[in-house]
Amino acid sequence: MLLELDNISLAYGRIQALHGINLTVGEGEIVALIGANGAGKSTTMRAISGLRPVSQGTIKFDGQDITKMRADLRVVRGVSQSPEGRGIFPGMTVRENLEMGAYTRRVRAEIDEDMERVFGLFPRLKEREKQSGGTLSGGEQQMLAVGRALMSRPKLLLLDEPSMGLAPMLIQQIFDIVVEINQQGTTILLVEQNAQQALSRAHRAYVLETGRIVKEGTGAELLHDPAVKDAYLGVA
Ligand SMILES: Nc1ncnc2c1ncn2[C@@H]1O[C@H](COP(=O)(O)OP(=O)(O)O)[C@@H](O)[C@H]1O
Ligand SMILES: [Mg+2]
Protein backbone atom coordinates (compact mmCIF):
# COMPACT_ATOMS: atom_id res chain seq x y z
CA MET A 1 0.00 0.00 0.00
CA LEU A 2 1.21 3.50 -0.80
CA LEU A 3 -0.81 5.05 2.05
CA GLU A 4 -2.09 3.40 5.22
CA LEU A 5 -4.10 5.09 7.96
CA ASP A 6 -4.29 2.87 11.01
CA ASN A 7 -6.75 3.84 13.74
CA ILE A 8 -6.41 7.60 13.21
CA SER A 9 -8.15 9.98 15.60
CA LEU A 10 -7.94 13.75 15.48
CA ALA A 11 -9.44 16.46 17.68
CA TYR A 12 -9.79 20.23 17.41
CA GLY A 13 -9.60 21.13 21.08
CA ARG A 14 -12.59 19.37 22.62
CA ILE A 15 -14.19 18.57 19.26
CA GLN A 16 -13.28 15.04 18.25
CA ALA A 17 -13.44 15.08 14.44
CA LEU A 18 -12.05 11.61 13.60
CA HIS A 19 -12.64 8.44 15.59
CA GLY A 20 -10.18 5.67 14.74
CA ILE A 21 -10.11 5.75 10.95
CA ASN A 22 -8.64 2.91 8.89
CA LEU A 23 -8.05 3.66 5.24
CA THR A 24 -5.61 2.51 2.56
CA VAL A 25 -4.65 3.73 -0.88
CA GLY A 26 -2.77 1.41 -3.20
CA GLU A 27 -0.26 2.58 -5.77
CA GLY A 28 -2.05 3.61 -8.97
CA GLU A 29 -5.52 3.83 -7.44
CA ILE A 30 -8.13 6.54 -7.35
CA VAL A 31 -9.74 6.22 -3.94
CA ALA A 32 -12.76 8.37 -3.10
CA LEU A 33 -13.80 9.52 0.34
CA ILE A 34 -17.42 10.64 0.42
CA GLY A 35 -19.60 11.98 3.20
CA ALA A 36 -21.88 14.82 4.23
CA ASN A 37 -20.76 18.27 5.24
CA GLY A 38 -18.87 18.08 8.53
CA ALA A 39 -18.22 14.32 8.33
CA GLY A 40 -14.46 14.82 8.63
CA LYS A 41 -13.30 14.55 5.02
CA SER A 42 -11.08 17.64 5.04
CA THR A 43 -9.81 16.70 8.48
CA THR A 44 -8.70 13.33 7.11
CA MET A 45 -6.80 15.17 4.35
CA ARG A 46 -5.16 17.47 6.90
CA ALA A 47 -4.06 14.47 8.93
CA ILE A 48 -2.43 12.93 5.87
CA SER A 49 -0.75 16.13 4.65
CA GLY A 50 0.38 16.97 8.19
CA LEU A 51 -1.50 20.25 8.56
CA ARG A 52 -3.03 18.99 11.82
CA PRO A 53 -1.45 16.57 14.30
CA VAL A 54 -3.31 13.34 15.02
CA SER A 55 -4.10 12.33 18.58
CA GLN A 56 -3.96 8.60 17.97
CA GLY A 57 -2.94 6.07 15.33
CA THR A 58 -0.28 5.82 12.65
CA ILE A 59 0.07 7.04 9.09
CA LYS A 60 2.39 5.14 6.79
CA PHE A 61 3.39 6.43 3.39
CA ASP A 62 5.55 4.61 0.89
CA GLY A 63 6.89 2.24 3.53
CA GLN A 64 7.69 4.93 6.10
CA ASP A 65 5.92 6.05 9.28
CA ILE A 66 5.08 9.73 8.63
CA THR A 67 2.69 10.20 11.57
CA LYS A 68 4.86 12.87 13.17
CA MET A 69 6.68 14.12 10.09
CA ARG A 70 6.52 17.87 9.30
CA ALA A 71 4.10 18.81 6.51
CA ASP A 72 6.81 20.24 4.23
CA LEU A 73 8.85 17.05 4.51
CA ARG A 74 5.78 15.03 3.53
CA VAL A 75 5.66 17.10 0.33
CA VAL A 76 9.28 16.18 -0.34
CA ARG A 77 8.40 12.51 0.25
CA GLY A 78 5.62 12.75 -2.35
CA VAL A 79 2.36 13.82 -0.69
CA SER A 80 0.70 16.88 -2.19
CA GLN A 81 -2.63 18.45 -1.34
CA SER A 82 -4.94 20.65 -3.37
CA PRO A 83 -6.84 22.26 -0.50
CA GLU A 84 -10.56 22.83 -0.22
CA GLY A 85 -11.61 26.33 -1.25
CA ARG A 86 -8.73 26.68 -3.70
CA GLY A 87 -6.20 28.61 -1.60
CA ILE A 88 -4.24 29.99 -4.52
CA PHE A 89 -2.14 33.16 -4.26
CA PRO A 90 -4.36 35.89 -5.79
CA GLY A 91 -1.57 38.47 -6.20
CA MET A 92 0.73 36.12 -8.11
CA THR A 93 0.45 35.20 -11.76
CA VAL A 94 -0.70 31.77 -12.86
CA ARG A 95 2.89 30.81 -13.66
CA GLU A 96 4.15 32.09 -10.29
CA ASN A 97 1.45 30.10 -8.50
CA LEU A 98 2.60 26.98 -10.31
CA GLU A 99 6.24 27.76 -9.48
CA MET A 100 5.24 27.91 -5.79
CA GLY A 101 4.03 24.34 -6.07
CA ALA A 102 7.55 23.31 -7.05
CA TYR A 103 9.27 25.07 -4.14
CA THR A 104 10.73 21.84 -2.77
CA ARG A 105 12.41 21.02 -6.07
CA ARG A 106 15.67 22.11 -7.63
CA VAL A 107 16.03 20.62 -11.13
CA ARG A 108 14.93 23.38 -13.50
CA ALA A 109 14.43 21.14 -16.53
CA GLU A 110 12.08 18.85 -14.58
CA ILE A 111 10.09 21.79 -13.22
CA ASP A 112 9.68 23.16 -16.76
CA GLU A 113 8.62 19.73 -17.95
CA ASP A 114 5.94 19.53 -15.26
CA MET A 115 4.79 23.07 -16.01
CA GLU A 116 4.21 21.97 -19.61
CA ARG A 117 2.38 18.89 -18.38
CA VAL A 118 0.05 21.07 -16.26
CA PHE A 119 -0.53 23.41 -19.21
CA GLY A 120 -1.29 20.32 -21.31
CA LEU A 121 -3.93 19.20 -18.80
CA PHE A 122 -5.30 22.73 -18.39
CA PRO A 123 -4.91 24.72 -21.63
CA ARG A 124 -6.94 27.51 -19.97
CA LEU A 125 -4.11 28.09 -17.53
CA LYS A 126 -1.59 28.35 -20.36
CA GLU A 127 -3.71 31.07 -21.98
CA ARG A 128 -3.76 32.94 -18.66
CA GLU A 129 -0.14 32.28 -17.70
CA LYS A 130 0.70 35.94 -16.98
CA GLN A 131 -2.64 36.88 -15.45
CA SER A 132 -2.85 37.20 -11.66
CA GLY A 133 -4.55 34.32 -9.85
CA GLY A 134 -7.15 36.60 -8.31
CA THR A 135 -8.55 37.54 -11.73
CA LEU A 136 -9.36 33.93 -12.68
CA SER A 137 -12.88 32.55 -12.55
CA GLY A 138 -13.78 30.11 -9.77
CA GLY A 139 -13.33 27.12 -12.06
CA GLU A 140 -9.98 28.37 -13.31
CA GLN A 141 -8.76 28.92 -9.74
CA GLN A 142 -9.77 25.35 -8.95
CA MET A 143 -7.73 24.15 -11.92
CA LEU A 144 -4.81 26.27 -10.77
CA ALA A 145 -4.97 24.70 -7.28
CA VAL A 146 -4.87 21.20 -8.79
CA GLY A 147 -2.08 22.21 -11.17
CA ARG A 148 -0.05 23.70 -8.34
CA ALA A 149 -0.39 20.50 -6.32
CA LEU A 150 0.93 18.56 -9.32
CA MET A 151 4.03 20.75 -9.48
CA SER A 152 5.64 18.95 -6.55
CA ARG A 153 5.53 15.80 -8.75
CA PRO A 154 3.61 13.88 -6.06
CA LYS A 155 3.26 10.14 -5.73
CA LEU A 156 -0.01 10.79 -3.92
CA LEU A 157 -2.29 13.67 -4.87
CA LEU A 158 -4.88 14.68 -2.27
CA LEU A 159 -7.82 16.45 -3.88
CA ASP A 160 -10.28 18.10 -1.51
CA GLU A 161 -13.53 18.80 -3.37
CA PRO A 162 -12.09 19.73 -6.75
CA SER A 163 -15.61 20.13 -8.18
CA MET A 164 -16.81 22.54 -5.50
CA GLY A 165 -18.64 25.55 -6.90
CA LEU A 166 -18.13 24.58 -10.53
CA ALA A 167 -20.71 24.77 -13.31
CA PRO A 168 -22.02 21.34 -14.44
CA MET A 169 -19.95 21.33 -17.62
CA LEU A 170 -16.75 22.10 -15.73
CA ILE A 171 -17.55 19.38 -13.17
CA GLN A 172 -17.38 16.74 -15.90
CA GLN A 173 -14.17 18.28 -17.15
CA ILE A 174 -12.41 18.34 -13.79
CA PHE A 175 -13.28 14.68 -13.14
CA ASP A 176 -12.02 13.77 -16.63
CA ILE A 177 -8.76 15.49 -15.73
CA VAL A 178 -8.56 13.64 -12.40
CA VAL A 179 -8.77 10.36 -14.32
CA GLU A 180 -6.18 11.58 -16.82
CA ILE A 181 -3.75 12.55 -14.03
CA ASN A 182 -4.23 9.09 -12.56
CA GLN A 183 -3.61 7.42 -15.92
CA GLN A 184 -0.38 9.38 -16.21
CA GLY A 185 0.76 7.57 -13.08
CA THR A 186 -0.30 9.60 -10.03
CA THR A 187 -2.19 7.92 -7.18
CA ILE A 188 -5.19 9.95 -6.02
CA LEU A 189 -7.23 10.31 -2.87
CA LEU A 190 -10.34 12.24 -3.82
CA VAL A 191 -12.66 13.89 -1.31
CA GLU A 192 -16.01 14.85 -2.75
CA GLN A 193 -19.56 15.82 -1.94
CA ASN A 194 -20.40 14.99 -5.54
CA ALA A 195 -20.68 11.29 -4.71
CA GLN A 196 -22.12 10.26 -8.06
CA GLN A 197 -19.11 11.53 -10.01
CA ALA A 198 -16.56 10.46 -7.42
CA LEU A 199 -17.86 6.89 -7.13
CA SER A 200 -18.15 6.44 -10.87
CA ARG A 201 -14.50 7.50 -11.35
CA ALA A 202 -12.91 5.80 -8.32
CA HIS A 203 -11.48 2.30 -8.10
CA ARG A 204 -12.42 2.10 -4.42
CA ALA A 205 -14.23 4.30 -1.98
CA TYR A 206 -15.00 4.91 1.68
CA VAL A 207 -18.04 6.50 3.28
CA LEU A 208 -17.35 8.75 6.26
CA GLU A 209 -20.06 9.62 8.80
CA THR A 210 -19.36 11.88 11.78
CA GLY A 211 -15.70 10.92 11.90
CA ARG A 212 -16.09 7.19 11.33
CA ILE A 213 -15.73 5.02 8.23
CA VAL A 214 -19.10 3.28 7.92
CA LYS A 215 -18.71 1.60 4.56
CA GLU A 216 -16.11 0.71 1.96
CA GLY A 217 -16.08 -1.04 -1.39
CA THR A 218 -15.34 -0.59 -5.05
CA GLY A 219 -16.72 2.56 -6.61
CA ALA A 220 -19.28 0.47 -8.51
CA GLU A 221 -20.40 -1.40 -5.37
CA LEU A 222 -21.07 1.81 -3.46
CA LEU A 223 -22.71 3.42 -6.48
CA HIS A 224 -25.30 0.61 -6.39
CA ASP A 225 -25.59 0.31 -2.62
CA PRO A 226 -29.18 1.20 -1.59
CA ALA A 227 -28.14 2.98 1.62
CA VAL A 228 -25.48 5.00 -0.20
CA LYS A 229 -27.94 5.87 -2.95
CA ASP A 230 -30.46 6.97 -0.39
CA ALA A 231 -28.08 9.12 1.64
CA TYR A 232 -25.67 10.50 -0.95
CA LEU A 233 -26.92 10.07 -4.48
CA GLY A 234 -30.28 11.76 -4.20
CA VAL A 235 -32.17 8.71 -5.50
CA ALA A 236 -34.13 6.13 -3.51
N1 LIG B 1 -10.36 24.34 12.58
C1 LIG B 1 -11.36 23.70 13.20
N2 LIG B 1 -11.65 23.95 14.50
C2 LIG B 1 -12.65 23.33 15.15
N3 LIG B 1 -13.45 22.40 14.58
C3 LIG B 1 -13.22 22.11 13.29
C4 LIG B 1 -12.18 22.74 12.53
N4 LIG B 1 -12.20 22.24 11.28
C5 LIG B 1 -13.20 21.35 11.26
N5 LIG B 1 -13.82 21.26 12.45
C6 LIG B 1 -14.94 20.38 12.81
O1 LIG B 1 -14.55 19.04 12.53
C7 LIG B 1 -15.62 18.33 11.92
C8 LIG B 1 -15.19 17.80 10.56
O2 LIG B 1 -14.98 18.90 9.69
P1 LIG B 1 -14.40 18.73 8.22
O3 LIG B 1 -13.26 17.79 8.25
O4 LIG B 1 -14.14 20.09 7.69
O5 LIG B 1 -15.63 18.05 7.47
P2 LIG B 1 -15.91 17.87 5.90
O6 LIG B 1 -14.68 18.22 5.16
O7 LIG B 1 -16.31 16.45 5.75
O8 LIG B 1 -17.05 18.80 5.58
C9 LIG B 1 -16.79 19.28 11.88
O9 LIG B 1 -17.60 19.04 12.99
C10 LIG B 1 -16.15 20.63 11.94
O10 LIG B 1 -17.01 21.57 12.52
MG1 LIG C 1 -14.32 19.60 3.69
Side-chain angles (χ1 to χ4, degrees):
M1 284 296 159
L2 184 61
L3 178 73
E4 275 183 75
L5 267 57
D6 181 18
N7 198 27
I8 288 297
S9 295
L10 193 156
Y12 299 101
R14 295 206 313 276
I15 300 169
Q16 176 104 17
L18 300 179
H19 305 264
I21 285 197
N22 296 301
L23 175 154
T24 62
V25 182
E27 188 135 22
E29 280 191 308
I30 299 178
V31 172
L33 181 60
I34 64 168
N37 220 341
K41 304 181 299 297
S42 295
T43 301
T44 304
M45 294 300 222
R46 286 181 206 121
I48 299 166
S49 58
L51 296 180
R52 296 289 306 201
V54 303
S55 50
Q56 176 191 290
T58 55
I59 304 173
K60 276 195 201 143
F61 177 72
D62 208 10
Q64 192 179 14
D65 186 336
I66 61 162
T67 315
K68 296 199 161 70
M69 188 183 278
R70 262 169 36 202
D72 57 330
L73 297 178
R74 295 186 204 200
V75 176
V76 175
R77 292 280 306 167
V79 180
S80 181
Q81 180 175 3
S82 166
E84 184 184 46
R86 302 173 195 132
I88 59 140
F89 304 108
M92 292 184 172
T93 67
V94 165
R95 176 171 279 273
E96 286 162 353
N97 266 277
L98 293 173
E99 290 281 352
M100 289 300 289
Y103 79 98
T104 58
R105 300 174 54 196
R106 293 289 169 269
V107 185
R108 191 66 241 172
E110 288 181 4
I111 296 172
D112 290 343
E113 197 179 295
D114 288 356
M115 184 86 69
E116 286 314 305
R117 177 184 170 216
V118 169
F119 286 147
L121 286 165
F122 301 104
R124 271 276 189 131
L125 295 183
K126 175 75 183 167
E127 290 162 21
R128 288 158 180 75
E129 195 179 336
K130 297 191 178 70
Q131 206 167 307
S132 69
T135 65
L136 300 181
S137 74
E140 290 159 359
Q141 289 190 25
Q142 201 80 283
M143 292 173 189
L144 182 55
V146 174
R148 192 182 59 187
L150 279 175
M151 289 302 294
S152 65
R153 202 175 267 202
K155 292 185 182 128
L156 175 66
L157 178 62
L158 305 172
L159 295 175
D160 195 346
E161 309 227 22
S163 79
M164 190 167 54
L166 298 190
M169 216 181 69
L170 282 178
I171 292 181
Q172 284 291 340
Q173 210 179 327
I174 199 98
F175 280 105
D176 286 345
I177 290 168
V178 168
V179 170
E180 193 175 341
I181 291 168
N182 176 250
Q183 285 169 349
Q184 291 178 358
T186 308
T187 303
I188 294 173
L189 179 59
L190 173 65
V191 157
E192 263 298 332
Q193 283 208 40
N194 191 328
Q196 175 76 43
Q197 280 287 341
L199 293 178
S200 58
R201 311 290 183 134
H203 300 105
R204 288 190 308 113
Y206 294 85
V207 180
L208 193 59
E209 271 177 25
T210 54
R212 290 182 173 85
I213 302 279
V214 294
K215 204 160 260 189
E216 63 178 285
T218 65
E221 276 164 5
L222 294 188
L223 206 48
H224 297 107
D225 183 296
V228 171
K229 275 189 183 175
D230 202 27
Y232 302 105
L233 300 176
V235 283

